[in-house]
Amino acid sequence: MLSAATPDVASAAARLRALLGDRLHEPGDPGYATTTRLWNGAVARTPALVARCRDADEVAGSVRIAARCHLPVSVRSGGHDWAGRALRDGALVLDLTGLHAVEVDPDNATVTIGGGTTAAELLAAARPYDLVVPTGVVGAVGMAGLTLAGGYGPLCGRFGLALDSLLGAEVVLADGRRVTADPRHDAELYWALRGGGGNLGIVTELRFRAHRLPGVLAGMIMFALSEAPSVLRGYGALVAEAPDELTVMAGFLPGPAGEPVIFVCPFYSGPDLAAGAPWMDRLRALGTPLVDQIGPMPYADALRMFDGGMVDGNHYLLRTRWLPALTDGTVDTLVNAARQVTSPFSALAVHHFHGAASRVRPADTAFGLRTDHLMTEVIAVWAPGDEVGPHREWAERTSAALAPHALPGGYPNLLAPEETDRVRLAYGANWARLRHAKRRYDPRDLLHAVPTLPPSVPPE
């Protein structure tokens, strides 16, 4: 556990100022407001200090100062965790957004990135070589946070989760030591980082296996809300037989007239894109499309479909469930939730987990669920100043209605900080090993990242 000693903010500030100069920000500084502003405008926390680090040595030095001065620590990379765990009241925030260099090695098909690199920055650097790394669907999301706890995305079936392409990482531990984690160096830390989140150390560099992918057949097909029950049932049947090369997202988005529309968003990533055309035709035939934007395109361009869908500064609350399949009960629940949505900004998303991701043995990484499933996001969004209650109630009601149909646990990257019981269930047989790694690498519980792990306890 963290020491109960009183934090010495003044001493920490003096030491950090000597290390970082004007890249240390305190409340009242112009830079402080910028570095504590997150994607989710509902997050309102007041860190004591923000350290804008530019390399791993500065991260390590800042961690040692925080420990000496009894300050808790949080880490900001992409800043897209909806619960805002990048910021802690009274803490030292390590801002890694300056660590965004990308090095592509086309001969060995690897990409090495800094701990603050976004998915869009990685893909832009790899694009000239027709290389990709599995990402989520939003380019502004930080690759470190996405990868460490999972990384669902459009290439899941072909290449697995983002964490399945992680070859190694450079990590600053809670005592300030810098270590390498890969199959040959600190293999236990490497195992735990792939799914255990940012709770074991501060990742300053990640090395990925890259995959050749000149383009994808992808796009958005939208249908009227009235067709949602049949579209979702057809979607559930189609994804149950989809090949590795086809991963299909579905859900409900705000329509142009304010009423939600149902969408399916396929990504076909096979070497012959023409082979994906029959699958696109089957998706179109699920109803009468209002929008049909399917076409061949570079993977990075396909991700831009989601740009602007979730506006910075709005208020967000997310809930998540793992569904083994789309049964009549889950279809009814999702359609009812769309019909009862309390905000024109809110959405529901269903992510498709199959193929390469499901063929990884559960014990090989910390990520706990490797069977085919659908990960559902309930995304409540409202404008600043709106009453929170109706939107929270909509998300909670939808999550509760899905629970009887769901698998235990849930996606660790989206579980709320208070849902530690579901975090335990999410890791299943890997839980005890992950908790042991947490005690080994962060015995003082300095780090409370995604997912939120309960404080260390004696061995279970």
Side-chain angles (χ1 to χ4, degrees):
M1 298 292 290
L2 278 172
S3 169
T6 302
D8 186 351
V9 176
S11 179
R15 294 173 184 273
L16 288 164
R17 185 76 65 190
L19 177 67
L20 304 171
D22 61 5
R23 288 180 288 109
L24 175 71
H25 301 302
E26 303 179 63
D29 294 350
Y32 179 89
T34 301
T35 53
T36 56
R37 185 181 302 118
L38 301 181
W39 162 74
N40 184 359
V43 176
R45 300 201 180 104
T46 308
L49 302 166
V50 179
R52 293 182 58 199
C53 301
R54 61 186 174 192
D55 56 38
D57 284 338
E58 290 186 348
V59 172
S62 298
V63 168
R64 287 191 289 268
I65 290 169
R68 176 178 295 184
C69 298
H70 310 290
L71 261 66
V73 168
S74 65
V75 180
R76 181 188 179 192
S77 178
H80 269 256
D81 166 40
W82 71 269
R85 281 162 281 205
L87 307 181
R88 294 173 69 180
D89 286 325
L92 169 64
V93 177
L94 302 176
D95 185 334
L96 304 189
T97 55
L99 282 70
H100 58 91
V102 181
E103 179 182 338
V104 181
D105 183 343
D107 294 331
N108 292 307
T110 62
V111 178
T112 302
I113 65 172
T117 306
T118 66
E121 290 170 332
L122 184 160
L123 293 174
R127 182 171 178 166
Y129 309 98
D130 287 339
L131 294 174
V132 300
V133 169
T135 69
V137 298
V138 179
V141 167
M143 282 298 297
L146 175 84
T147 300
L148 296 178
Y152 287 76
L155 302 179
C156 180
R158 178 104 188 264
F159 301 126
L161 295 169
L163 66 84
D164 295 322
S165 291
L166 184 66
L167 297 174
E170 301 301 315
V171 186
V172 174
L173 298 180
D175 60 6
R177 286 183 295 141
R178 293 178 57 186
V179 299
T180 297
D182 62 28
R184 295 179 301 133
H185 307 92
D186 220 325
E188 187 66 10
L189 179 58
Y190 174 60
W191 175 88
L193 288 175
R194 290 175 295 153
N199 290 285
L200 296 103
I202 299 147
V203 176
T204 57
E205 184 178 278
L206 304 95
R207 296 184 300 281
F208 290 98
R209 178 185 302 107
H211 309 273
R212 178 170 169 75
L213 188 65
V216 293
L217 183 62
M220 192 77 72
I221 307 174
M222 295 182 177
F223 307 90
L225 182 60
S226 60
E227 294 196 276
S230 61
V231 170
L232 275 182
R233 289 185 174 90
Y235 164 80
L238 184 145
V239 296
E241 55 180 289
D244 290 4
E245 294 83 2
L246 178 65
T247 297
V248 189
M249 185 179 172
F252 297 87
L253 291 170
E259 182 183 59
V261 295
I262 183 167
F263 75 91
V264 292
C265 183
F267 280 71
Y268 185 84
S269 58
D272 178 11
L273 296 186
W279 293 98
M280 305 301 131
D281 290 340
R282 287 183 59 180
L283 288 167
R284 292 184 181 102
L286 295 178
T288 303
L290 301 173
V291 173
D292 181 350
Q293 298 174 330
I294 301 297
M297 63 190 83
Y299 176 67
D301 288 353
L303 289 192
R304 294 198 181 101
M305 290 185 292
F306 297 92
D307 287 355
M310 294 289 149
V311 178
D312 284 15
N314 272 345
H315 290 198
Y316 295 84
L317 183 145
L318 271 66
R319 293 293 180 261
T320 186
R321 293 288 174 183
W322 275 334
L323 303 177
L326 280 184
T327 63
D328 286 344
T330 54
V331 167
D332 290 344
T333 296
L334 292 170
V335 173
N336 288 337
R339 288 173 175 161
Q340 298 167 14
V341 70
T342 57
S343 164
F345 308 116
S346 295
L348 296 157
V350 179
H351 298 265
H352 181 198
F353 182 102
H354 72 124
S358 65
R359 289 194 291 272
V360 177
R361 295 185 307 170
D364 286 351
T365 70
F367 193 85
L369 181 64
R370 289 293 186 170
T371 57
D372 287 7
H373 64 273
L374 299 167
M375 188 272 285
T376 302
E377 290 184 80
V378 182
I379 310 168
V381 190
W382 62 98
D386 280 4
E387 184 182 348
V388 176
H391 311 297
R392 177 183 292 276
E393 290 164 11
W394 174 79
E396 299 286 11
R397 184 170 64 248
T398 303
S399 178
L402 290 172
H405 310 281
L407 298 167
Y411 182 29
N413 239 343
L414 297 181
L415 289 172
E418 65 271 16
E419 294 182 285
T420 51
D421 288 346
R422 289 184 64 197
V423 171
R424 177 190 290 263
L425 293 170
Y427 287 106
N430 290 336
W431 174 253
R433 183 176 174 185
L434 179 60
R435 296 299 293 141
H436 185 269
K438 171 67 171 173
R439 288 191 295 271
R440 173 179 173 183
Y441 294 105
D442 184 18
R444 296 174 56 246
D445 286 321
L446 181 71
L447 300 171
H448 294 259
V450 180
T452 301
L453 302 181
S456 292
V457 294
E460 296 148 339

